[in-house]
Amino acid sequence: MTAFATGPAAGFIDPVHAAQRVFSALMRAMAEPGRVQPLASDLVPPAPLSPELAAVALALLDYETPVWLDAALAASPQVAAFLRFHTGAPVVADPGKARFAFFADGQSLPPFQAFAQGEPDNPDRSTTLVVAVARFEAEPLTLAGPGIDGTRGFGAVPLPVDFAARLEANGSAFPLGVDLILCAPGAVAALPRTVRPVAHPSVRA
Amino acid sequence: MTAETVTTPAPNGAEPPAIRYNFAYLDEQTKRMIRRAILKAIAIPGYQVPFAGREMPMPYGWGTGGVQVTAAILGACDVLKVIDQGSDDTTNAVAIRSFFETTAGVATTTRTADATVIQTRHRIPETPLKAGQVLVFQVPIPEPLRFLEPRETETRRLHGLGDYGLIHVKLYEDIARHGHIATTYAYPVTVNGRYVMDPSPIPKFDNPKMHMSPALQLFGAGREKRIYAVPPFTPVVPLDFEDHPFAVQHFAEPCALCGGQGVYLDEVILDDAGGRMFVCSDTDYCATRQGEGHTGRMSAPYAAPPATAATGAEPPIAASGSGDRP
């Protein structure tokens, strides 16, 4: 981290193909909700920005995408400098104005309603939440929806305790709602607004 | 703009070309913009996401939307197949395939099973697609309600409200006029029970292939500047009525070259005396079957049937002949 004396940490070594590989993982993750895709990142961003969050930022952000940072990320001037230098994305304080929102900690997700939900005529104008988690698991959620052949077990640590209820509420507003990208070390999974948590088969009456 | 460029291989050791393009032609900011639109399109299946479509080095109507989507998703390791009405060797397919060979240097194929990205104009391959494959459609008019309601503000509102009465009236008028639903291509579908979508001008024969397909389907409309998507394993249901259920076309005879049945056939006029043949629209499927030894009514060696063909009667299959094909 001595590089901060001279400037922000380096971006992708191979910007064109690295951005394509990150996008390809995101596209497949979004197309198959809850399925964990490998995501290799050679970035060494300033803490608390994880290498995977940084890879998603550099692959998707530019001057067209206002970005909102959670308290941990916003507290670090190096993170803001890193994102500003490599993407040029304006950092906004109002979560409702952000196209993307980044979270260093999945535990402290604010209510999804704080972010842009899209408009009935333009549901694509909603925020994409990019959340760092420690790891993925195959429970406790059972997901269904487009991109899932039947159901798929999914879980991530840490997430809010009421995460299933939030997903349910987010999906019930379809076509409005936010889309989530979850990043663990070396892996990514997505939960678009189409995904629905279903009761576990063993619980069903 | 970036350090990465692709050099066209100079033939015969000649001077390298003066113009070099970024990988897959588009600049990186354009790719990011298209990629963001693709992610939102996947998250809202069937909804048309506006995007800032660029001018491409080909006219509108030649697949500029599909080319931009392909350019945004293509990676160095991808294997690209391009088809035009099922054919790998027509002008549009050859031009777009060579465009990406030149600007991206990616491997190309005509084999459906070997491709990771398939750009298509107006067909879905006969070989069932696999998980992990991406099918990119070229779309001329993305809005299924456009010919019923010309105002974009109104059609967006109708989609927002899920008000699709208009398009059902259109199908009903088909029945009133023709006795059946006469729409045979660009047959509207409902995606995941919400958005009505134009599947691009594929024959309605191909509509069932979109339903719960394991492949990701992306749609790009260049002139109209819209991108939309159908994720894998997503219900895609053609609109119909209980007493006039959706049904696909059936062909009376198999492919004349490979004997394939249950596939989409093109009619080829052979002479000015009523002679005709039906062959697979999907050239890769037909060539693969012929390579496996399947033959059709007009496979070589073939002798032109006697005059009965001109009357429209079913000609007898020639057992042997001189070998000259029509």
Side-chain angles (χ1 to χ4, degrees), chain A residues 143-165:
Chain A
L143 305 177
I148 300 172
D149 189 13
T151 61
R152 178 174 291 141
F154 180 77
V157 179
L159 284 178
V161 286
D162 62 342
F163 190 71

Side-chain angles (χ1 to χ4, degrees), chain A residues 20 28 60 64 124 128 147 179, chain B residues 36 40 47 73 132 157 232:
Chain A
Q20 191 278 333
R28 291 175 196 286
L60 293 182
E64 290 185 337
D124 58 303
T128 302
D179 306 307
Chain B
R36 291 192 295 261
K40 284 298 181 195
Y47 166 74
I73 67 171
R157 179 62 45 82

Side-chain angles (χ1 to χ4, degrees), chain A:
Chain A
M1 295 297 160
T2 51
F4 292 132
T6 54
F12 291 130
I13 294 167
D14 179 4
V16 171
H17 293 108
Q20 191 278 333
R21 279 192 291 271
V22 172
F23 166 73
S24 187
L26 291 174
M27 180 177 77
R28 291 175 196 286
M30 200 62 92
E32 297 181 75
R35 181 164 181 185
V36 178
Q37 303 283 341
L39 176 69
S41 171
D42 55 4
L43 299 175
V44 188
L49 194 66
S50 77
E52 291 73 26
L53 283 188
V56 172
L58 266 54
L60 293 182
L61 300 188
D62 55 37
Y63 62 88
E64 290 185 337
T65 54
V67 61
W68 183 90
L69 302 176
D70 77 347
L73 292 170
S76 164
Q78 286 91 349
V79 168
F82 178 83
L83 292 178
R84 193 182 307 120
F85 180 80
H86 288 294
T87 71
V91 177
V92 294
D94 178 0
K97 294 242 185 336
R99 289 277 306 271
F100 287 89
F102 281 75
F103 300 86
D105 177 17
Q107 187 76 58
S108 59
L109 283 181
F112 293 163
Q113 287 74 25
F115 299 93
Q117 305 287 305
E119 302 145 23
D121 295 359
N122 296 284
D124 58 303
R125 295 180 187 169
S126 69
T127 310
T128 302
L129 276 53
V130 187
V131 184
V133 295
R135 63 182 186 276
F136 292 117
E137 294 176 347
E139 52 182 16
L141 295 173
T142 304
L143 305 177
I148 300 172
D149 189 13
T151 61
R152 178 174 291 141
F154 180 77
V157 179
L159 284 178
V161 286
D162 62 342
F163 190 71
R166 289 184 185 212
L167 270 191
E168 180 76 49
N170 188 50
S172 65
F174 189 88
L176 305 186
V178 299
D179 306 307
L180 282 95
I181 295 170
L182 305 180
C183 298
V188 64
L191 299 172
R193 66 195 81 177
T194 50
V195 77
R196 301 287 169 84
V198 294
H200 197 272
S202 62
V203 182
R204 196 178 299 154

